[in-house]
Amino acid sequence: MSSSGGKWKQPLAEMQEHMLFYASEKYPVENSYSKYITQHGGSTNAFTSSERTNFYFDINADCFEEALDRFAQFFVKPLMSPDATTREIKAVDSENQNNLLSDGHRVYQLQKHLSSKDHPYHKFGTGNWDTLEVQPKARGLNTRQELLKFYKENYSANLMHLVVYAKDCLDKAQTLVQSIFQEVPNTNRSYSPVTDQPCKSEHLQILVRAVPIKQGHSLRLEWPIIPDLTHYKEGPSLYLSHLIGHEGEGSLFYILKKLGWATSLSAGESGGGHHFSFFEVYISLTDAGHEHFEDVVALVFKYIHLLQQAGARKWIFDELSAISETNFHYQDKSSPIGYVVYVASNMQLYPPIDWLVGSSLPSKFSPDIIEAVLNDLTPQNVRIFWVSTNFDGNTDSMEPWYETAYSLEKITSSVIEQWMEKAPDGNLHLPVPNMFIPTDLSIKTVSNKMNFPVLLRKSSYSRLWYKPDTLFSMPKGYCIIDFICPQSRSSPESAVLTCIFVWLLKDYLNEYAYDAEIAGLGYWISGHCSGFEVTVSGYNHKMRILLEKVIDRITNFKVEPDRFFVIKELFSKQYQNIKFQQPYEQALYYCSLILREHSWSWNDECEALTNLEIDDLVKFYPLLLSRTFLECYVAGNIDSKEAVSMIQHVEDALYKGSQPLSRALFASEHSSSRIINLEESKNYFYAAEGLNTSDENSALVHYIQVHSDEYIKNVKLQLFALIAKQPAFDQLRSVEQLGYITSLSRTSDAGVRGLQLIVQSSVKDPRYIESRFQAFLKTLETQLHDMSDDEFKKKVNALIDIKLEKFKNLPEETNFFWWEISSGTLKFDRIENEVAALKQITKMDLIDFFNEYVNVGAPKRKSLSLQVFGSSHFSEFKSEKVDPAEPNVVQIEDIFCFRRSRPLHHSLKGDLVHLKAHDIDHQ
């Protein structure tokens, strides 16, 4: 459901969005809507943008009708009680507290701040206790009454659009919708979008220097433009973002990267409304790029000048149009919830004929419209935001909401023209035609309709798992190659060097592979605890070309000194910025560091990085690949013969020749990721001060380790999480207001299943939050006992329905099977077996499981509490250190001593050596 309105009263609109979830006249029990959705296999959420709010949910099909009725009550008779209003104001304030140290929020609000004070764009975008409680009271206003007034003024049926995605026929669905939504009041409100421009002449030709929270430098250039929404068939901003944001040879980013001045660049239309928008170029600068700021700005305008001289090129637009059309016709089926959100949003923006398409099919080449937008990108219209920690202490102004320090000066077009005259040329030019656009989109015939992957080929160098597409009929494929390299994480130095190697690979491939990415053929390289992983996916027609290029770069890797130092600088800033992570992210890091066998601390890796030089990587590269094993999976519109040929090519490149780069692993070198086995009936905890002394937020991560992969225990844990997730959120977040970030979820680490609670709070310390979680578990015990057999059966059926939902697309299927392969479980028929196990579970089985593994004092409970104390709770942290230990509570003082003292869970990859290849006919 999408609703227009608000006239940019965004804090009140967001508050309104939150309030509608609480209760309605028909369903007065608080949070009963969210509980019903969650416990019947669904999810629900909403978001508010500058001019509209979008509400949505999904649920198991047999519960859809009641869920839709509960949903409709948002717009019929919501309650919005005074108590709930106060609690939600606190929740909004908690969300704002989490955002105060976010550079994205800070810079965006600064951009808004430096606009016309009379325009809604200028206003604070989210709200806090001051704006929603203190200021209204000072003016004699009641926030709840203002919400009711806002609701009456904006929530009218004629301003709403509804999308329903159901298994019923259209006639039945229409009848259902009419019967349920006929009570939504229609007050025939009109919606008048803001037509004024937010930036007057005094807000243009400005250079703003701003101080961020995190280490680094960035540059934003933005220009007010006519929104692409006005000309969505012509797509002027799409055309310009394609060229200005291009990363191939001769592009703006290619030249900046070659000069060592930038590590990333993006360009395109950014936030606005129906009648105004901005075109933005964002550049992440290196230290050298920061020093050459004038040259960087000049090169941006030089490239824009090049485009203005070249004029709009029909072949470029036709290429973009062809790619867009191919992507539209061969798009992967999306989740129902994502699809209804997309269409409901489109219904607010486009005529009915384009509701299902939106702006995804630019089809009208109009040089005049493209050049009109291009001609707005001038020095006379620019707003430049230069962000760097180097400006700390050298600014004279403060943005009021986030207290971002900045200074502002006017910058004339003549100054920028002078910069352009002095700047290097760099041989900027337009891109060449894209060689990766697929022309063969045929679907291969599959004679063997296999449901699961098979081990197609096995050697001392590799295992090839294979599954052709038998469900989706898409001209797409996947090739995943996991390089198992024992040397990759043998020390902090080797871990960092492996990461630098991976980043340099991507850096070297960028300009070549960028065209492939545009054409729908992507690649990814990522490091992990046992080596690194290469994935190539997308249209299969030219997939092998890209794969062979990636392998060629791996096998002929050379360290380019200038790029090494750029990547080292990037890594150095990342390590420096770790302290600015959210406290709950810090707690998750400590959890991982304690549990995982092969993991190194941030401090050790940072110290190792500091001492690394080019020669270290030159020596490490051949060592990294000297012993390697390849775990491979090929899937999709690729026949088995081609799959074998692709992996044979990789083997030949690595292992063949007079001086092979790699050799097979020794039997003793095959390893896997393992985690420590916590002791039963022990409650371990690790406490630390937050790394950022300016962050008031504290965080608790409470981890309960339950069992290794086993069908019966798996489904008991899944069922418990399904039942407990929403009540935990309701109690700890909505009722007790402990923190906006609150979640209870299942975990799986190296095949070991568990539960994990995350709460981040500025109002309570982690020790208090821990006590409230324990209290919640005790109340949950009563709820489990009181649950009727019929209600329990519904929960079981809801989980079964979730499991039996078919894969919607090749990426979903690939992720599922690759997880089984990479983790070593190989339970490709897991769904069928877990469903069978679920059908055997009774309510007492679940209660016994809860009392054995999860409940406070459970005999087999193994818990680990990670407590990060923010600046507002430092005194509690100090008292925590000296409090006498409770029974069965063990404080972890030294992470590595503790890790060494504990046994490990067994590896799930123990029997893979004995697998035999499956014989199938090469199609």
Side-chain angles (χ1 to χ4, degrees), residues 165-427:
Y165 187 122
K167 67 177 183 179
D168 299 322
C169 67
L170 291 179
D171 288 342
K172 185 176 179 181
Q174 181 176 343
T175 301
L176 176 66
V177 168
Q178 288 173 335
S179 67
I180 289 177
F181 285 87
Q182 63 182 347
E183 296 181 55
V184 177
N186 182 4
T187 56
N188 288 310
R189 294 284 180 177
S190 61
Y191 171 61
S192 302
V194 178
T195 57
D196 296 338
Q197 295 299 309
C199 294
K200 303 185 184 304
S201 58
E202 62 264 32
H203 307 117
L204 304 176
Q205 290 187 282
I206 59 172
L207 169 59
V208 181
R209 293 175 173 85
V211 181
I213 297 296
K214 293 185 176 181
Q215 290 291 320
H217 325 284
S218 66
L219 177 64
R220 282 177 172 85
L221 296 88
E222 68 172 23
W223 300 260
I225 60 167
I226 299 171
D228 248 26
L229 188 61
T230 309
H231 302 293
Y232 65 94
K233 293 287 188 183
E234 294 82 2
S237 291
L238 177 69
Y239 178 93
L240 294 174
S241 66
H242 168 68
L243 294 175
I244 299 174
H246 208 281
E247 299 182 14
E249 189 173 340
S251 67
L252 172 61
F253 178 64
Y254 177 83
I255 301 303
L256 291 173
K257 177 183 158 185
K258 196 173 180 180
L259 291 166
W261 295 348
T263 57
S264 69
L265 181 149
S266 61
E269 188 177 18
S270 65
H274 266 82
H275 294 278
F276 76 93
S277 190
F278 297 93
F279 190 92
E280 181 177 279
V281 177
Y282 173 81
I283 305 169
S284 292
L285 299 172
T286 62
D287 289 347
H290 178 74
E291 295 300 318
H292 287 84
F293 158 78
E294 295 178 4
D295 292 327
V296 174
V297 172
L299 282 167
V300 172
F301 279 102
K302 277 194 168 189
Y303 194 78
I304 291 171
H305 182 65
L306 168 70
L307 298 183
Q308 291 168 337
Q309 286 186 315
R313 298 291 179 92
K314 188 174 188 302
W315 76 264
I316 295 176
F317 182 87
D318 289 344
E319 186 177 271
L320 275 175
S321 180
I323 291 171
S324 298
E325 187 167 352
T326 299
N327 290 340
F328 180 80
H329 289 299
Y330 294 100
Q331 61 184 301
D332 292 324
K333 185 178 180 180
S334 61
S335 66
I337 196 169
Y339 189 68
V340 296
V341 169
Y342 170 73
V343 177
S345 299
N346 285 349
M347 291 169 75
Q348 296 276 359
L349 302 173
Y350 305 102
I353 194 173
D354 288 323
W355 281 351
L356 303 184
V357 177
S359 60
S360 60
L361 288 177
S363 56
K364 295 180 181 178
F365 176 61
S366 174
D368 291 344
I369 291 175
I370 292 172
E371 288 166 13
V373 176
L374 179 59
N375 290 333
D376 282 337
L377 310 187
T378 64
Q380 290 80 9
N381 292 332
V382 75
R383 289 155 51 91
I384 301 175
F385 292 82
W386 186 12
V387 181
S388 172
T389 44
N390 287 12
F391 299 139
D392 192 13
N394 296 303
T395 57
D396 54 19
S397 301
M398 186 83 72
E399 189 279 319
W401 297 110
Y402 290 87
E403 298 185 347
T404 302
Y406 74 95
S407 59
L408 182 150
E409 66 180 81
K410 296 292 282 187
I411 182 168
T412 64
S413 55
S414 60
V415 169
I416 292 176
E417 287 164 4
Q418 291 172 13
W419 294 352
M420 291 172 68
E421 290 174 4
K422 296 186 295 181
D425 177 43
N427 193 26

Side-chain angles (χ1 to χ4, degrees), residues 788-854:
S788 69
D789 291 338
D790 182 59
E791 188 179 356
F792 175 78
K793 187 65 175 176
K794 287 180 180 178
K795 302 291 190 292
V796 171
N797 289 336
L799 185 53
I800 289 174
D801 288 344
I802 293 172
K803 288 186 170 297
L804 292 179
E805 185 178 345
K806 295 179 179 178
F807 297 123
K808 289 179 287 294
N809 49 53
L810 182 62
E812 269 192 18
E813 182 191 72
T814 299
N815 288 339
F816 178 85
F817 289 133
W818 177 244
W819 188 90
E820 295 288 344
I821 293 166
S822 60
S823 65
T825 50
L826 304 181
K827 295 177 180 177
F828 301 129
D829 58 352
R830 176 183 299 277
I831 293 172
E832 294 84 346
N833 283 287
E834 290 191 347
V835 167
L838 263 173
K839 291 178 179 179
Q840 305 302 315
I841 289 180
T842 67
K843 189 179 84 167
M844 280 311 302
D845 290 333
L846 183 64
I847 292 172
D848 290 344
F849 173 83
F850 171 73
N851 286 325
E852 189 174 8
Y853 292 99
V854 179

Side-chain angles (χ1 to χ4, degrees), residues 124 268 296 347 407 422 435 582 607 630 638 718 724 844 917:
F124 180 37
V296 174
M347 291 169 75
S407 59
K422 296 186 295 181
M435 63 170 279
Q582 294 264 28
E607 184 178 337
L630 311 177
I638 301 169
Q718 292 162 17
M844 280 311 302

Side-chain angles (χ1 to χ4, degrees), residues 335-528:
S335 66
I337 196 169
Y339 189 68
V340 296
V341 169
Y342 170 73
V343 177
S345 299
N346 285 349
M347 291 169 75
Q348 296 276 359
L349 302 173
Y350 305 102
I353 194 173
D354 288 323
W355 281 351
L356 303 184
V357 177
S359 60
S360 60
L361 288 177
S363 56
K364 295 180 181 178
F365 176 61
S366 174
D368 291 344
I369 291 175
I370 292 172
E371 288 166 13
V373 176
L374 179 59
N375 290 333
D376 282 337
L377 310 187
T378 64
Q380 290 80 9
N381 292 332
V382 75
R383 289 155 51 91
I384 301 175
F385 292 82
W386 186 12
V387 181
S388 172
T389 44
N390 287 12
F391 299 139
D392 192 13
N394 296 303
T395 57
D396 54 19
S397 301
M398 186 83 72
E399 189 279 319
W401 297 110
Y402 290 87
E403 298 185 347
T404 302
Y406 74 95
S407 59
L408 182 150
E409 66 180 81
K410 296 292 282 187
I411 182 168
T412 64
S413 55
S414 60
V415 169
I416 292 176
E417 287 164 4
Q418 291 172 13
W419 294 352
M420 291 172 68
E421 290 174 4
K422 296 186 295 181
D425 177 43
N427 193 26
L428 293 164
H429 60 78
L430 295 176
V432 298
N434 192 331
M435 63 170 279
F436 280 102
I437 295 176
T439 54
D440 180 3
L441 298 167
S442 60
I443 305 300
K444 299 183 185 297
T445 302
V446 180
S447 58
N448 191 338
K449 301 287 185 180
M450 60 183 70
N451 294 321
F452 306 125
V454 296
L455 183 57
L456 187 60
R457 180 177 179 273
K458 178 185 175 184
S459 73
S460 59
Y461 308 120
S462 71
R463 277 188 299 263
L464 168 59
W465 299 88
Y466 170 71
K467 186 188 179 299
D469 177 10
T470 58
L471 296 174
F472 313 110
S473 298
M474 285 286 185
K476 299 179 180 182
Y478 264 84
C479 178
I480 306 175
I481 305 174
D482 192 2
F483 288 71
I484 310 299
C485 309
Q487 295 295 329
S488 65
R489 291 292 189 276
S490 58
S491 66
E493 288 83 1
S494 65
V496 175
L497 285 167
T498 300
C499 290
I500 294 176
F501 166 72
V502 165
W503 272 76
L504 282 173
L505 275 178
K506 293 187 287 187
D507 187 76
Y508 296 162
L509 285 162
N510 190 63
E511 53 264 21
Y512 177 84
Y514 186 75
D515 271 348
E517 184 180 342
I518 292 172
L521 178 59
Y523 84 98
W524 183 248
I525 308 174
S526 58
H528 56 72

Side-chain angles (χ1 to χ4, degrees), residues 853-874:
Y853 292 99
V854 179
N855 201 1
V856 179
K860 293 187 178 180
R861 191 179 201 265
K862 300 185 286 187
S863 70
L864 172 61
S865 176
L866 295 312
Q867 305 170 0
V868 173
F869 289 75
S871 59
S872 59
H873 302 125
F874 280 171

Side-chain angles (χ1 to χ4, degrees), residues 38 584 588 591 700-706 714 716-729 732 741-749 752-759 773 776-777 849 854:
T38 303
Y584 82 89
L588 287 171
C591 185
L700 170 75
V701 169
H702 188 95
Y703 167 76
I704 302 174
Q705 191 176 86
V706 183
N714 288 353
K716 288 178 182 177
L717 180 63
Q718 292 162 17
L719 185 59
F720 173 77
L722 178 72
I723 293 170
K725 178 181 178 181
Q726 191 62 39
F729 181 85
L732 302 178
I741 296 175
T742 300
S743 69
L744 179 67
S745 60
R746 293 179 292 113
T747 66
S748 179
D749 196 344
V752 179
R753 291 352 189 226
L755 275 173
Q756 181 174 271
L757 174 80
I758 298 174
V759 179
F773 179 53
F776 164 75
L777 289 177
F849 173 83
V854 179

Side-chain angles (χ1 to χ4, degrees), residues 3-7 9 146-161 184-193 348:
S3 175
S4 293
K7 297 183 180 179
K9 295 180 181 177
E146 291 300 307
L147 284 169
L148 293 171
K149 179 182 174 183
F150 180 90
Y151 182 86
K152 187 175 181 179
E153 289 177 349
N154 294 285
Y155 279 69
S156 175
N158 68 299
L159 296 177
M160 300 178 184
H161 291 82
V184 177
N186 182 4
T187 56
N188 288 310
R189 294 284 180 177
S190 61
Y191 171 61
S192 302
Q348 296 276 359

